[in-house]
Amino acid sequence: MLELFSPIKCFLREDRIHIDNIAFRLHSRFTVLVFLVCATLVTAKQFIGEPISCISDHSIDRTTLNAYCWIYSTFTVARHLKGIPGRTVASPGIGNTLQDDELYYHRYYQWVCFILGLQAILFYVPRALWRIWERDTVALLAKDLSTSSFLDRHTWTEDRKRQLVDYFIQSDLRTTHNFYAFRYFLCELFNFVNTIGQLYLLDLLFDGEFKRYGIAVIIFAKEKQLTDMIDPMTRLFPKVTKCTMYSFGSAGSTQIHDALCVLSLNVMNEKVFFFLWFWLMFLMILGFFAIFYRIIVFTQAKVRVYLLRASMRTLAHAKANTIVQVLTFGDCFLLHRLAQNVNPVIYRELIDELAASLSTKHFKGLV
């Protein structure tokens, strides 16, 4: 069974250099893994067997009937969804069909694996875009200075320290760093918009029934004994459906074959999409707060002072204030990325040296 997931093991590897935050990785890395696992589950026959199995009169070959009903879709009858299985109906949604009955057609199962694969690709796009725009900037600045290594004075020399400090105090790089930070913000915005778009995509796939699916399942579980409610799982993912196949008899007249189909695929679908509903809702809320947080950080210098001191608790308020007042929000953003990837001792020395350089009268004159 584990061999099914071997192609997606690469998403479990930890990055040597972190160029994003946890919220970004949940959107563009972990979520991609989630959708790929879900796509694998709903397409693996060893979990669900044949996705559709139909029975009718013996005049129709069963293989042909299965193929026909898979291609042309199956349906359930709306007024039979509230029936009692084994008494008033054969199964929820299954019963005699009248001319004015409302029918729910189920065609989504033909597209589920493709939609899940497409969603995984769309969630990966912001990560790919950011890797292109980032151009290994953090990796080059933090080369041989990672948090996983001991402090090596042969690597962390005074010249190396001076080079990093000079890199941040060069006025011609301020605009470049602002664009660097703004592009990251665009990728975070992409994550948020993409999540909302994914919810609408699934809602379109399930004929407008997905947007309330998760909460409807919970409400039904709590109140099914009190009210005559329709099970949202049965409504959206019926395990037994009907299929009508038309053929011609020996005399040329039309023959109608009423088939009963078991959709074993929906045993997995109902649980997969129940989880995905909550996961997408969580990502939407997380994405909103990530954008709100980024706007506050970019526009409020006091917040950047607090974040700089949080990344290095021993940093005096005066030094942090000096750095934030002179450097731009893009510079501070890049400094925060460095804090996640370099040795804490190195980062402390870098910040101290940077504060000293920015506070000198010579540099103030240049600014």
Side-chain angles (χ1 to χ4, degrees), residues 340-358:
Q340 295 180 315
N341 292 282
V342 302
N343 188 295
V345 177
I346 292 176
Y347 186 71
R348 183 176 66 248
E349 293 183 6
L350 172 63
I351 293 297
D352 288 338
E353 184 68 23
L354 185 60
S357 298
L358 293 176

Side-chain angles (χ1 to χ4, degrees), residues 198-224:
Q198 302 285 10
L199 283 167
Y200 277 100
L201 176 63
L202 290 178
D203 195 54
L204 180 64
L205 177 67
F206 296 119
D207 298 324
E209 296 289 332
F210 185 74
K211 57 180 175 291
R212 295 189 67 255
Y213 178 61
I215 195 67
V217 172
I218 294 177
I219 293 174
F220 175 79
K222 290 182 177 180
E223 301 182 3
K224 64 180 179 180

Side-chain angles (χ1 to χ4, degrees), residues 182-197:
F182 184 70
R183 285 173 173 176
Y184 183 80
F185 172 73
L186 286 180
C187 290
E188 288 185 312
L189 186 62
F190 196 142
N191 281 329
F192 176 64
V193 174
N194 182 47
T195 303
I196 297 177

Side-chain angles (χ1 to χ4, degrees), residues 57-280:
D57 57 77
H58 297 291
S59 62
I60 300 296
D61 179 69
R62 189 169 182 177
T63 303
T64 303
L65 182 63
N66 288 346
Y68 179 92
C69 293
W70 178 266
I71 295 172
Y72 290 99
S73 78
T74 61
F75 65 91
T76 49
V77 184
R79 66 185 176 90
H80 292 310
L81 288 173
K82 293 184 179 180
I84 301 176
R87 295 184 182 179
T88 58
V89 295
S91 184
I94 304 301
N96 62 313
T97 306
L98 302 179
Q99 187 174 359
D100 58 347
D101 274 336
E102 182 182 5
L103 305 181
Y104 294 141
Y105 286 91
H106 308 286
R107 303 180 179 89
Y108 57 82
Y109 48 74
Q110 303 173 5
W111 299 97
V112 164
C113 60
F114 301 106
I115 292 295
L116 291 174
L118 175 63
Q119 289 181 289
I121 294 173
L122 290 176
F123 271 110
Y124 187 77
V125 168
R127 174 179 171 84
L129 189 62
W130 174 235
R131 289 176 70 90
I132 294 172
W133 281 343
E134 205 273 338
R135 294 184 298 181
D136 292 330
T137 300
V138 175
L140 291 173
L141 293 176
K143 185 178 181 181
D144 300 325
L145 306 176
S146 65
T147 56
S148 60
S149 61
F150 291 100
L151 179 59
D152 186 358
R153 289 297 176 181
H154 295 288
T155 302
W156 182 238
T157 61
E158 289 297 324
D159 289 340
R160 181 71 183 278
K161 184 193 302 183
R162 191 69 248 170
Q163 287 175 352
L164 280 178
V165 170
D166 290 341
Y167 177 80
F168 280 98
I169 66 178
Q170 291 181 49
S171 58
D172 58 337
L173 289 176
R174 305 279 173 78
T175 304
T176 301
H177 291 167
N178 284 348
F179 274 118
Y180 179 88
F182 184 70
R183 285 173 173 176
Y184 183 80
F185 172 73
L186 286 180
C187 290
E188 288 185 312
L189 186 62
F190 196 142
N191 281 329
F192 176 64
V193 174
N194 182 47
T195 303
I196 297 177
Q198 302 285 10
L199 283 167
Y200 277 100
L201 176 63
L202 290 178
D203 195 54
L204 180 64
L205 177 67
F206 296 119
D207 298 324
E209 296 289 332
F210 185 74
K211 57 180 175 291
R212 295 189 67 255
Y213 178 61
I215 195 67
V217 172
I218 294 177
I219 293 174
F220 175 79
K222 290 182 177 180
E223 301 182 3
K224 64 180 179 180
Q225 302 298 334
L226 304 177
T227 60
D228 189 19
M229 297 177 63
I230 296 176
D231 185 353
M233 282 190 171
T234 300
R235 160 68 185 91
L236 193 55
F237 301 107
K239 299 172 185 65
V240 181
T241 57
K242 297 185 66 175
C243 175
T244 303
M245 182 176 179
Y246 300 93
S247 65
F248 291 99
S250 57
S253 59
T254 302
Q255 294 183 341
I256 301 176
H257 305 275
D258 194 23
L260 192 68
C261 298
V262 178
L263 297 177
S264 53
L265 180 69
N266 281 345
V267 175
M268 190 66 67
N269 281 336
E270 65 180 11
K271 299 171 180 63
V272 164
F273 286 98
F274 179 70
F275 168 76
L276 289 180
W277 187 89
F278 283 100
W279 183 250
L280 289 174

